[in-house]
């Protein structure tokens, strides 16, 4: 077998947030990482698939901290690639869809750093799995457009609704805030009041689905007490019969599992499989990288857990 040199950087798609939807390849990269640079939409539990001494660096936007500029992220990634053997740049969904992948690839190429791109499940696919519909469907929608309601420097550009006009599907990323304007544009161009769904936190514990029409959906979203998290808007005839997905879910479990990481992963995955959310508190078990300690402490402090499970260490016989 020929020896293939492992890349210095992996640009990895973390999927929509549910750890069960992480690819095997992504998981292997995370396990091997010396440092992980992760975005805001990445579920911190995924970081716990890494070793206790892996450095975790949050490079995403939060409501409380200043946003790290793309140039600074690129520079940090390059610096880490020079210091460490394996760098993982972990991004929500698929890095190739509204993920600034090209910017990072260009920076790595410029500095002759070897890399590999690992795809992830994008929000539109995750959302449709929950609606139990196809993004394309024979005889209903032959094309799909992935678009965004958010542009560089907040520049205003009309939506590209060519696909929708031809009976296809439109998936709008980052469009919840501008929904009234976006839906007005669709209405003005298409007479038919098409079905629309907005799926927040698709496949995750706090998933919420709103279903309506182009004429109603912006009001439905505005009537929510608060925005439930990242949301994707799907417009087109494929969105139908989505009542099953909008039905109330049982109140979700948020569980803190106290124990050694490797012994708690299976339990955590089972909680995710049952529709819950889990994080492992191993701060007193293992010597963690200081960044892990800090990030876990803050997360545990900010979360209202429904329960706490203490995993007993295995007794040797
Ligand atoms: N690369 C990502 C998209 C990044 S842009 C991907 O492939 O999914 C960020 C936008 O993605 C959010 O504003 C939201 O529109 C969408 N998004 C990401 N995760 C989501 C989720 N779990 N549920 C719903 N929408 C999500």
């Amino acid at each position: 077998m020929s020896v293939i040199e492992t890349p210095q950087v992996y640009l990895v798609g973390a999927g929509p947030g549910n750890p069960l939807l992480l690819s095997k390849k992504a998981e292997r990269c995370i396990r091997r990482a010396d440092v992980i640079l992760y975005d805001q939409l990445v579920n911190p539990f995924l970081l716990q698939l890494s070793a206790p001494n892996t450095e975790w660096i949050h490079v995403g936007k939060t409501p409380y901290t200043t946003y790290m500029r793309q140039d600074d992220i690129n520079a940090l990634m390059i610096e880490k690639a020079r210091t460490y053997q394996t760098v993982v740049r972990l991004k929500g969904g698929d890095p190739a869809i509204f993920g600034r992948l090209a910017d990072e690839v260009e920076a790595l190429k410029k500095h002759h750093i070897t890399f590999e791109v690992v795809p992830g499940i994008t929000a539109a696919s995750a959302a449709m799995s929950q609606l139990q519909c196809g993004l394309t469907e024979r005889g209903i929608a032959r094309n799909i457009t992935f678009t965004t309601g958010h542009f560089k420097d907040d520049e205003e550009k009309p939506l590209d609704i060519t696909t929708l006009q031809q009976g296809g599907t439109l998936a709008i990323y980052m469009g919840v805030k501008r929904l009234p304007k976006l839906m007005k544009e669709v209405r003005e161009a298409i007479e038919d009041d098409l079905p629309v769904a907005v799926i927040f936190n698709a496949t995750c514990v706090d998933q919420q689905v709103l279903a309506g029409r182009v004429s109603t959906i912006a009001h439905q979203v505005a009537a929510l007490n608060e925005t439930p998290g990242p949301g994707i808007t799907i417009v087109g005839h494929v969105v139908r019969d989505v009542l099953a997905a909008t039905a109330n879910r049982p109140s979700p479990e948020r569980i803190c599992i106290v124990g050694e990481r490797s012994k708690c992963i299976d339990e955590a995955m089972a909680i995710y499989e049952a529709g819950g959310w889990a994080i492992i508190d191993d701060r007193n078990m293992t010597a963690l990288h200081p960044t892990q300690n800090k990030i876990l402490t803050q997360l545990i402090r900010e979360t209202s857990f429904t329960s706490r499970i203490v995993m007993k260490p295995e007794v040797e016989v």
Side-chain angles (χ1 to χ4, degrees):
M1 208 173 84
S2 64
V3 178
I4 302 171
E5 232 180 274
T6 53
Q8 292 166 276
V9 176
Y10 291 96
L11 300 159
V12 178
N18 185 329
L20 297 163
L21 297 178
L22 185 75
S23 73
K24 273 276 176 225
K25 171 89 191 196
E27 187 177 335
R28 287 170 69 89
C29 294
I30 295 171
R31 280 193 203 289
R32 191 183 309 153
D34 297 307
V35 56
I36 304 176
L37 277 63
Y38 67 100
D39 278 347
Q40 175 63 16
L41 291 181
V42 168
N43 179 351
F45 171 71
L46 298 180
L47 306 173
Q48 299 195 298
L49 300 172
S50 68
N53 61 352
T54 302
E55 183 178 0
W56 295 352
I57 308 177
H58 182 208
V59 296
K61 186 168 30 174
T62 74
Y64 313 108
T65 55
T66 35
Y67 179 39
M68 196 183 241
R69 290 176 46 242
Q70 188 62 47
D71 287 348
D72 296 335
I73 297 176
N74 295 352
L76 186 64
M77 187 167 63
I78 286 153
E79 182 205 313
K80 294 294 176 188
R82 292 192 170 132
T83 346
Y84 288 115
Q85 194 171 339
T86 307
V87 178
V88 166
R89 171 73 179 100
L90 196 58
K91 292 155 165 283
D94 184 351
I97 297 181
F98 303 119
R100 306 291 298 263
L101 177 68
D103 290 324
E104 296 181 8
V105 163
E106 195 186 329
L108 292 168
K109 281 186 174 164
K110 199 169 139 204
H111 290 86
H112 308 287
I113 289 167
T114 55
F115 66 91
E116 193 175 323
V117 179
V118 180
I121 294 180
T122 192
S125 304
M128 287 317 254
S129 73
Q130 301 305 291
L131 301 188
Q132 301 175 331
C133 317
L135 276 170
T136 62
E137 280 186 26
R138 215 156 75 109
I140 296 180
R142 288 167 58 197
N143 307 304
I144 166 152
T145 294
F146 292 157
T147 189
T148 175
H150 177 92
F151 297 99
K152 218 168 139 186
D153 306 324
D154 288 326
E155 96 197 52
E156 294 280 324
K157 270 198 203 153
L159 268 184
D160 181 357
I161 48 174
T162 334
T163 308
L164 207 54
Q165 277 169 321
Q166 292 166 359
T169 309
L170 187 66
I172 311 171
Y173 289 70
M174 296 176 278
V176 173
K177 272 210 190 104
R178 291 178 74 236
L179 209 55
K181 186 167 180 300
L182 299 174
M183 290 302 108
K184 187 163 168 269
E185 275 178 42
V186 175
R187 278 223 89 175
E188 281 167 4
I190 300 170
E191 209 180 311
D192 198 0
D193 194 8
L194 292 168
V196 185
V198 180
I199 304 94
F200 295 98
N201 305 307
T203 73
C204 298
V205 64
D206 32 16
Q207 171 174 300
Q208 200 171 329
V209 180
L210 293 181
R213 298 260 161 195
V214 171
S215 60
T216 65
I217 197 77
H219 300 291
Q220 291 168 258
V221 171
L224 294 172
N225 291 337
E226 53 184 296
T227 311
I232 184 155
T233 307
I234 312 279
V235 192
H237 293 293
V238 291
V239 179
R240 59 184 191 282
D241 304 332
V242 295
L243 285 178
T246 54
N248 277 340
R249 303 180 131 213
S251 65
E253 297 262 51
R254 284 172 192 274
I255 300 177
C256 182
I257 311 175
V258 183
E260 205 189 304
R261 198 173 287 185
S262 60
K263 307 243 161 52
C264 299
I265 298 273
D266 284 352
E267 180 69 28
M269 290 294 188
I271 293 165
Y272 280 100
E273 186 129 54
W277 183 90
I279 197 88
I280 300 167
D281 184 2
D282 55 355
R283 289 170 299 169
N284 292 332
M285 311 289 155
T286 325
L288 298 180
H289 191 282
T291 53
Q292 296 200 16
N293 236 315
K294 193 165 162 224
I295 289 163
L296 266 180
T297 301
Q298 188 178 351
L299 181 71
I300 289 168
R301 197 188 307 130
E302 286 172 356
T303 308
S304 323
F305 290 103
T306 50
S307 61
R308 196 164 170 271
I309 299 175
V310 180
M311 296 292 274
K312 297 220 170 59
E314 274 162 33
V315 185
E316 279 186 38
V317 255

